[in-house]
């Protein structure tokens, strides 16, 4: 198959987990090239020649679990070396509620946020069982070089200080067309400067009480084993308006695709008028 035995460094994490920042660090290596941020609903065919000589591929966990991605690319002939990005799930949740690209939907392409969180925690449990490399975002913020050095050792990679200095430009990377908007807006001259910019923009999490209770109750063991506080008190929450966390069909790309088939409906949808008949067709009701 041309790639039999070639190594694929496969990195994944939830949206808003800091995975784009980590991907950028690895793509700065002199021995590595690849994909900064892939579509989360596609399984692309990856050319081994994209790497120099090592191939990097990063995506977000939404439609597929990391375990499924690993199995798929092993079937394709790659020697897959997984890396799972970990972050406090409450921080992730609070960030996603403010991001339009999070799409808290009801389809396979845009599944509910709760389903994504459960899939991610299953991947974390799989990573522990199989000995996969993980990187805790908060550790990267606190000790950038030491954290990256530890991950490199786990991945059996030599240390490369380019991961801190960032000498490559966007055009030097094989595929850097996508990427998190927050990363783009805070990206500086190297990792240390970028992390400092990110700290200035950081806010306390704002989460609906029901979701906060679910996250703290359901994933208590995850918080214990990763050193996160078990409870975020109300005093630590912003007293501002809280986004609705109910998944809807209207939030999905499929809704966008179907409204675009009717230009008037698409225009009304952009103006905030929902295509109600389309939404109703996705809701099972008892006949009158």
């Amino acid at each position: 198959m041309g790639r039999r035995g070639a190594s694929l460094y496969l990195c994944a994490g939830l949206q808003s987990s800091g995975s784009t920042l980590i991907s950028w660090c690895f793509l700065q290596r002199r021995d590595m090239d690849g994909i900064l941020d892939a579509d989360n609903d596609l399984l692309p065919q990856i050319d081994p020649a994209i790497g120099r000589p090592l191939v990097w591929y990063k995506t977000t966990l939404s439609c597929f679990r990391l375990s499924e991605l690993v199995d798929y690319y092993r079937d394709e002939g790659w020697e897959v070396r997984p890396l799972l990005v970990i972050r406090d799930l409450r921080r992730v949740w609070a960030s996603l509620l403010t991001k339009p690209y999070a799409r808290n939907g009801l389809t396979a392409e845009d599944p509910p946020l709760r389903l994504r969180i459960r899939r991610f925690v299953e991947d974390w449990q799989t990573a522990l069982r199989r000995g996969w490399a993980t990187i805790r975002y908060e550790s990267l913020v606190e000790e950038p070089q030491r954290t990256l050095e530890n991950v490199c050792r786990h991945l059996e990679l030599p240390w490369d200080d380019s991961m801190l200095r960032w000498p490559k430009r966007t055009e030097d990377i094989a595929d850097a067309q996508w990427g998190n908007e927050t990363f783009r807006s805070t990206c500086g001259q190297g990792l240390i400067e970028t992390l400092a910019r990110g700290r200035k923009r950081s806010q306390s999490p704002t989460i609906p009480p029901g979701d906060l209770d679910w996250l703290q109750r359901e994933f208590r063991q995850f918080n214990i084993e990763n050193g996160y506080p078990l409870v975020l008190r109300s005093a630590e929450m912003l007293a501002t308006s809280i986004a609705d966390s109910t998944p809807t069909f209207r939030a999905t790309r499929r809704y966008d695709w179907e409204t675009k088939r009717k230009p008037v409906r698409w225009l009304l949808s952009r103006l905030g008028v929902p295509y109600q008949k389309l939404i109703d067709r996705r809701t099972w009701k008892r006949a009158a």
Side-chain angles (χ1 to χ4, degrees), residues 1 3 35 42-48 50 57 72-73 76 78:
M1 298 176 68
R3 52 183 164 267
I35 303 165
L42 294 174
L43 295 171
Q45 296 297 309
I46 304 172
D47 184 350
I50 199 173
Y57 169 55
Y72 173 79
Y73 284 107
E76 288 290 292
W78 292 97

Side-chain angles (χ1 to χ4, degrees), residues 14-24 36-38 58 60 87 95-96 99 101-102 137 176-187 201:
L14 289 166
Q15 291 171 308
S16 293
S17 66
S19 59
T20 301
L21 172 65
I22 291 164
S23 182
W24 187 260
L36 174 66
D37 197 6
K58 178 262 173 181
T60 51
R87 190 175 189 180
S95 176
L96 288 178
K99 302 295 194 302
Y101 58 74
Y137 175 77
Q177 61 178 318
W178 305 121
N180 183 277
E181 181 180 336
T182 301
F183 167 71
R184 299 287 189 192
S185 63
T186 59
C187 186
R201 295 185 50 170

Side-chain angles (χ1 to χ4, degrees), residues 7-8 32 102 106 113 123 137 144 154 176 204 219 273:
S7 293
L8 175 66
M32 188 170 283
L106 296 166
L113 292 183
D123 271 330
Y137 175 77
H154 198 149
S204 299
F219 305 112
V273 181

Side-chain angles (χ1 to χ4, degrees), residues 108-150:
E109 300 93 353
D110 299 302
L113 292 183
R114 287 198 180 200
L115 178 56
R116 299 184 210 178
I117 296 289
R118 284 194 172 100
R119 286 174 171 173
F120 167 79
V121 173
E122 288 175 4
D123 271 330
W124 168 71
Q125 293 167 338
T126 300
L128 292 181
R129 290 195 306 271
R130 298 187 183 180
W132 291 347
T134 62
I135 182 168
R136 184 177 177 272
Y137 175 77
E138 291 83 359
S139 298
L140 178 71
V141 173
E142 294 164 3
E143 297 181 293
Q145 182 167 341
R146 180 179 178 183
T147 300
L148 289 174
E149 287 176 343
N150 288 339

